[in-house]
Amino acid sequence: MLRSFQVSNHGSLAQAQQLRLSRGAGGPVSVPVTAVHGVAAAGKTSLIDALAQMRDAVLHSVSGWDPYAGPVRRPHLGFADRPSEFVAGFIAEGVPYTYGFRLDNADVIAEWLHTHPRSRKRIVFERTGDQIKIGPMFEAARYGVAALVPLVRPNALLLSLAGQLYAEALVPAYRWFAANLQVQQGAVDTAALALDLGSHISRSPDNAARLLMLLRTADLGIEDLLVAEPDPMYADYLRDLDTEIAALATRLDHGGADPILLERELSTLRAARDALYRRMVDRRGVGLGLVHEGIDVAFELADESTATRSLLRVLPAMLEALDTGQVLAVDDLGAGLPVEETDRLVQLFQNPETNARGAQLIYTTANRTLIDRGNGRSQRRRCAVWQLRREQGVSELTPL
């Protein structure tokens, strides 16, 4: 669950802007849908990109950033010398956390992780420059955090290093970014889209049936989805992983002995399954085809319209979020689609029957009609609505 997100000096978001996703003033219950409206160039993409940047920094600052360069960031061009800051408030494994970091052009100048049990702040760690303080409630030697401190590069995050080396005290926060936050933005890449669709469909017949039902409802003329059978070299391994994932999910649904450990094992198995499927696709391709009404020859993704590819891209991510209780952030949701169809996608998150695991959808749109429909007005308890305005090159986020 994501409760709040704050960013400053990223893209057009020059000053500190906070997106709150919980009801009331800092309430513990987050709404399932958060809509952000703004006209073209208002800063919507900068907001979603800031979430993506924070996630990427946590997961890849150690292994993906150049160790001899400054941190990867995208400051406002008018304030390139000022630091950028990212702060997220979220709940991981039942515990409220606040995590944030501040970057300049050379180093990570600050980083902190706090927990908030029973609304009382406890410091896990606080970093200022090259000084790292471990909170008194977390025995650094026992959890291995102290051993990592000398290994942290000035331009990398401690949480990134601790997550990859499995320092127990920091694992829940790291895993939240790795397994509970998805971000979709930018142009649709056909190869990546085929990989996501093929992987989602191949996991179970139920996935394929549900996806096909939603596509038929969208009235795009798509009658069926065809995916090649798994490569025999990988088929048995994929089948075994799918069986194990289904068994663990059933145990979790029926109240397993230790739900936190079950959740961790489930996310690990799902990641292993995705990596194995990707390796198979690299070897022989996805073999994906779309059957249209009245046409005998199956379409390839490249033959589909931009709007159809946009819907095909977001549907697997939405269904995955609903199945696992993830946070999904989408830039320009429903671009090119009728408002009614985009509204149906939003309602999947608003409806407690289709969103039984507490998934959250954050989306941006330039279409005020979508905001003014029932998902944004008559059901305020199920949706928070924000607006982005841009004046003199600087974007400001306000509740609507």
Side-chain angles (χ1 to χ4, degrees), residues 41 66 96 101 223 232 269 279 294 302 374 399:
D66 186 344
F101 54 85
E223 287 292 308
L269 285 175
R279 188 178 301 176

Side-chain angles (χ1 to χ4, degrees), residues 84-157:
S84 300
E85 183 174 291
F86 304 82
V87 185
F90 55 92
I91 296 178
E93 299 184 358
V95 178
Y97 285 91
T98 299
Y99 172 68
F101 54 85
R102 194 176 303 121
L103 315 171
D104 64 12
N105 293 325
D107 298 315
V108 176
I109 57 179
E111 184 184 4
W112 59 94
L113 179 65
H114 303 153
T115 63
H116 304 273
R118 295 181 293 278
S119 300
R120 297 178 61 186
K121 185 178 83 170
R122 289 181 177 174
I123 297 170
V124 182
F125 74 85
E126 291 183 341
R127 171 184 181 184
T128 304
D130 59 358
Q131 301 297 313
I132 299 178
K133 169 190 173 184
I134 308 297
M137 300 300 295
F138 295 87
E139 301 172 34
R142 176 182 169 191
Y143 290 108
V145 178
L148 300 180
V149 169
L151 304 178
V152 182
R153 297 197 318 264
N155 71 337
L157 299 175

Side-chain angles (χ1 to χ4, degrees), residues 240-261:
D240 289 345
L241 281 171
D242 288 335
T243 300
E244 197 169 351
I245 289 169
L248 276 176
T250 301
R251 285 179 59 193
L252 188 62
D253 288 340
H254 290 82
D258 192 332
I260 290 177
L261 290 179

Side-chain angles (χ1 to χ4, degrees), residues 308-319:
T308 299
R309 290 200 300 269
S310 177
L311 180 61
L312 289 170
R313 177 195 192 185
V314 77
L315 273 179
M318 283 188 160
L319 295 175

